[in-house]
Amino acid sequence: ESKNTPGKQRQRARADGKKRRNLVVKTIEDLLGDHVTVLACTLDFDDGSIKQPVGSDDDSLFPKDGKEAFSSWKPHLIYVEGGNTFWLQHCIEKGDWTDDLLAACTGNDAYAVYVGKSAGAIVAGSRVDTATWKGWDNPAVVPGKETYGDWNGCRGMSFMGPNASIFPHYDDESWEVVVQEKTKQMIEEDGDDVTVYSLHEWEACCIGGEAREVFVVSGDQ
């Protein structure tokens, strides 16, 4: 348990998030070249505020809040960082962000690519309770849902379909048996078409097109 105050923890989390966000921006800039200006900002799902704009000093080029970011700014890329999965899911539900995210990234009028890392990947799946399997995240940060049992069956955004979930940070030695046992339990609850994508650190699960073709790609180990 951290000895820092909640305010200090949030401040540190935002600073860490900004560093990681800027790495994504730098990667995009390197790929696109100097002739393309990349505008980026951070949406706080907790309060709907926009923070840390980069790419221009002109404030009019950025949305005023999260709802405007989806309704009119319409980013090409939505990157959702890791952290406490339960808090992230709580904030998405509290702010009614699910419909905004689905509208942005799915369907005929989609305008953005969703990239989720760790917790950001889990909430994109059909069930969020894969985050309980390791015991890494503390559910007590969410009032009223302080135990792992409170999250059993919690539904995510289901980008890959109604019964496809994500288990990140996988390695065979530590988690193979756990994943097998928990997946069997999910099949008993949801049916035979349940799929759990167990992703090593060098893997990414991709969803392509309206058919929701799902495939896993590997990078350098």
Side-chain angles (χ1 to χ4, degrees):
E1 295 290 338
S2 174
K3 295 181 180 179
N4 290 326
T5 65
K8 285 288 187 182
Q9 292 181 51
R10 286 194 296 270
Q11 186 178 24
R12 180 175 180 180
R14 286 168 180 165
D16 290 344
K18 182 179 180 181
K19 290 179 182 178
R20 294 167 186 163
R21 191 277 314 269
N22 287 347
L23 285 175
V24 175
V25 172
K26 180 64 166 57
T27 300
I28 295 171
E29 289 174 337
D30 290 345
L31 289 170
L32 297 180
D34 295 336
H35 61 288
V36 175
T37 299
V38 177
L39 302 179
C41 59
T42 297
L43 165 57
D44 190 333
F45 284 134
D46 184 20
D47 61 12
S49 63
I50 293 294
K51 299 177 173 67
Q52 305 162 343
V54 295
S56 175
D57 294 327
D58 185 353
D59 291 340
S60 68
L61 296 179
F62 298 94
K64 296 180 177 63
D65 55 39
K67 293 302 180 181
E68 183 177 294
F70 286 106
S71 66
S72 59
W73 200 59
K74 295 187 176 181
H76 298 104
L77 175 69
I78 297 172
Y79 173 71
V80 181
E81 249 292 348
N84 188 307
T85 308
F86 308 115
W87 181 251
L88 174 59
Q89 179 66 21
H90 166 71
C91 291
I92 289 174
E93 292 176 357
K94 181 178 72 170
D96 293 326
W97 298 110
T98 297
D99 289 344
D100 292 312
L101 288 163
L102 289 174
C105 303
T106 64
N108 293 332
D109 297 324
Y111 52 82
V113 174
Y114 181 97
V115 178
K117 173 186 173 185
S118 191
I122 292 175
V123 299
S126 61
R127 286 181 54 162
V128 176
D129 52 345
T130 58
T132 68
W133 296 1
K134 294 190 186 78
W136 288 2
D137 292 352
N138 182 5
V141 298
V142 180
K145 302 184 75 171
E146 291 93 349
T147 70
Y148 289 132
D150 292 328
W151 291 88
N152 185 53
C154 177
R155 308 302 296 187
M157 292 184 284
S158 300
F159 275 114
M160 300 163 293
N163 283 314
S165 301
I166 297 289
F167 182 81
H169 312 298
Y170 177 79
D171 73 77
D172 299 296
E173 182 177 351
S174 299
W175 305 114
E176 182 178 14
V177 174
V178 171
V179 170
Q180 289 175 352
E181 292 176 349
K182 294 292 187 180
T183 301
K184 182 179 179 181
Q185 181 180 336
M186 289 176 69
I187 290 173
E188 292 173 353
E189 295 171 351
D190 293 340
D192 292 337
D193 61 341
V194 164
T195 301
V196 176
Y197 292 93
S198 300
L199 302 177
H200 296 88
E201 299 293 357
W202 55 86
E203 292 180 319
C205 183
C206 305
I207 306 99
E210 292 182 11
R212 293 187 178 179
E213 177 187 2
V214 181
F215 54 97
V216 175
V217 296
S218 296
D220 295 332
Q221 298 185 22

